[in-house]
Amino acid sequence: MSGNTGAHDVIAIGCGPFNLGLAALASTVDDLDLVVLDERPEFTWHRGMMFGDASMQVNFLADLVTLVAPWHPLSFLAYLHDKDRLYTFTVRENFFPSRREYEDYLRWAAARLTSLRFSHRVDEVDWNADEERFTVRVVRGDGTAVRMAARHLVVGIGTAPHLPEALAGLPADRILHTADYLYRTDDVARAGRVTVVGSGQSGAEVAVDLLTRNLDGGPAVGWLTRTGSWAPLDYTKMNLELTTPAYMRYFHSLPEDVRDRLTREQWQFYKGISTDTLEEIHELLYRRQLAPDLADVELRFGVAVESAAVDAGGRTVLGCRHLDTGRPFEHVTDLVVAATGYRARPPAFLTPVDKLIRRDARGRPVVRADHSVELADGVTGRIFVANAELHAYGVSTPNLDIGAVRNAAILNAITGKETYRLPRRSAFTRFEAPPGPA
C-alpha cells in the first residue's frame, strides 16, 4: 500500500455514460471535488455491438448534460461545433446520432475532463465512522495499491451480460453474447448455422447482420425468442410519458409490490425492437425470395429454450418448448448468439458496508428520492446509485435521456442546494390519483 491519496467530496465508481455525465455536470460546480474511477484503460462504449449503420434510439438532446444544462460546454451541440459538423448535422434533419458518433462524443467529453481516473480498480469500500468518510482501496494499472477517501460515493458500474442457466453450460466456442458479437465475427463466418436466442434490439440487430450475410451466401440463420411476437419498442409519444421524470417520481412513491408489477408490465419500453429494425428485417426476408439456393432461415417466437448441449456427433442441440402448445422439440445449430440481456453487477467491493445498507422485502437496496441508498443510522455519508434502481424508479432507469436529470438530482443532494434546476413539468399526463372527497 503506497499511502493515502487524499480525501474527496465524491468518488464515483465506474465510468460509463452515467458517471461520465456526472463528472461533466460536476465540472462546472465550484468547490466540489469529484473523481471518477474505472478499471479500464480508456473510455469505450458497446464496441461489441458497434454496427456501422446502428442509430441511437434517443435523440441528440439526451446527451450528458443538455436536459438540465443546455448551456454546458460538454453538450452534444458543443461537440458538433468543435468538430465542425454542426451545420451538416442540421441539414441532415435526422436528430438521432449514429452509435459510432455518440461514442465519439462521449470520448470527446471524457478527454476534456480532469476528474477521470482510468486503470483504477476499486477493490474495497468501508465506512470510517470516526472520520465520517468512506475509505476506498484502489489498485492502479501498475499494481500499486492506494487508499482514497470521500464523503459520498456514486456507484455506476453498469450491468453485465447475462447467460441464462439453460445456455450457461455450452462450451465457449459454441456460444457468445450479443455484447461480444463483433469480436466473434470470424466464428460467425465459419459456422454453418447461427442461432439467436432472445430478441430485443440487440438480438434484432444481430439478426439483421446474419440475414445480410445469408443473402451473400453466408450461414443458415435461426432466431428463437420466448416473447409472444416480434414486439416493437413502444415509443409512441404519449406512452413515452412513462419515461419522464414526472412519472419516475410518481413510480417511486408507489408501494413495492405495485412497482414490481408495473415493471413487469412495461417491459416493451426497453425490451422491444425498433420499428425501423423490424422493417429492415422484413425487407431482408423479402429479398431472400428473389435469391435461390440460400441457406435456410428459421424464425420462431413463443419458444422457450430449456437446455443446450453438444451431442455425440458434435452438434449444438437446443432443447426447446413451443409455449402455445407445450410441445417440446430440438433445434440443431453450430453457434448460439445469446440475446439474453444484462443484469446488475453485484458490487463485491461494497461487502464491508453491506451490513449498513437497508433492503426491501426482496433483498434489494432501498433507494430514496435523491437516488441514494438508505443506510444505517449514524452514517452521515451517502451512497448514490446510477442504473441500479429499476425496482425503485421503473423502466426509465437505464435510459440515457434520464441520466442528466438523475445526475443533477445527485449533485443537488450532495451540495445541499439547487445547483441544477430539475424539470418542474415533464409530462402532460397526471399520474397521481385525484384528491378524495373533502
Side-chain angles (χ1 to χ4, degrees), residues 353-425:
V353 297
D354 190 68
K355 60 184 179 296
L356 303 178
I357 297 173
R358 291 180 173 160
R359 299 184 179 274
D360 65 17
R362 295 180 59 182
R364 301 166 299 195
V366 176
V367 182
R368 296 187 287 204
D370 63 2
H371 299 275
S372 68
V373 174
E374 283 196 14
L375 300 174
D377 293 341
V379 180
T380 56
R382 282 176 281 191
I383 300 175
F384 298 87
V385 289
N387 193 17
E389 69 274 38
L390 186 72
H391 62 288
Y393 275 98
V395 295
S396 284
T397 297
N399 285 13
L400 289 172
D401 53 4
I402 206 64
V405 175
R406 174 170 50 211
N407 285 332
I410 291 172
L411 290 173
N412 289 353
I414 289 169
T415 59
K417 61 183 180 181
E418 192 180 59
T419 300
Y420 287 102
R421 183 169 69 84
L422 297 175
R424 303 285 197 271
R425 182 182 183 187

Side-chain angles (χ1 to χ4, degrees), residues 221-408:
V221 179
W223 191 10
L224 311 174
T225 181
R226 67 180 302 126
T227 57
S229 66
W230 306 114
L233 282 167
D234 194 342
Y235 269 25
T236 49
K237 286 183 171 58
M238 292 307 293
N239 274 343
L240 278 176
E241 296 224 320
L242 300 188
T243 68
T244 58
Y247 183 74
M248 291 181 73
R249 288 192 296 270
Y250 165 72
F251 185 97
H252 185 267
S253 72
L254 296 171
E256 180 184 328
D257 60 333
V258 177
R259 296 199 306 260
D260 288 343
R261 174 179 60 80
L262 290 173
T263 299
R264 291 191 299 270
E265 292 174 356
Q266 294 169 359
W267 64 271
Q268 213 166 328
F269 282 108
Y270 64 109
K271 290 186 178 180
I273 304 168
S274 76
T275 53
D276 288 344
T277 304
L278 288 170
E279 289 174 6
E280 187 174 5
I281 289 170
H282 191 273
E283 177 65 20
L284 289 166
L285 293 169
Y286 184 85
R287 286 164 53 192
R288 288 188 78 257
Q289 299 176 113
L290 307 177
D293 303 324
L294 295 176
D296 180 53
V297 168
E298 178 182 355
L299 310 181
R300 297 185 187 274
F301 58 68
V303 169
V305 176
E306 298 178 334
S307 65
V310 179
D311 70 7
R315 306 179 308 167
T316 302
V317 181
L318 304 181
C320 305
R321 185 171 302 277
H322 187 255
L323 294 175
D324 287 345
T325 62
R327 178 179 173 272
F329 67 97
E330 290 186 344
H331 177 88
V332 178
T333 190
D334 295 308
L335 182 66
V336 174
V337 180
T340 47
Y342 297 76
R343 296 284 174 87
R345 302 173 191 264
F349 55 78
L350 288 181
T351 299
V353 297
D354 190 68
K355 60 184 179 296
L356 303 178
I357 297 173
R358 291 180 173 160
R359 299 184 179 274
D360 65 17
R362 295 180 59 182
R364 301 166 299 195
V366 176
V367 182
R368 296 187 287 204
D370 63 2
H371 299 275
S372 68
V373 174
E374 283 196 14
L375 300 174
D377 293 341
V379 180
T380 56
R382 282 176 281 191
I383 300 175
F384 298 87
V385 289
N387 193 17
E389 69 274 38
L390 186 72
H391 62 288
Y393 275 98
V395 295
S396 284
T397 297
N399 285 13
L400 289 172
D401 53 4
I402 206 64
V405 175
R406 174 170 50 211
N407 285 332

Side-chain angles (χ1 to χ4, degrees), residues 207-220:
V208 167
D209 185 71
L210 292 174
L211 289 170
T212 302
R213 291 170 180 269
N214 179 267
L215 269 169
D216 291 335

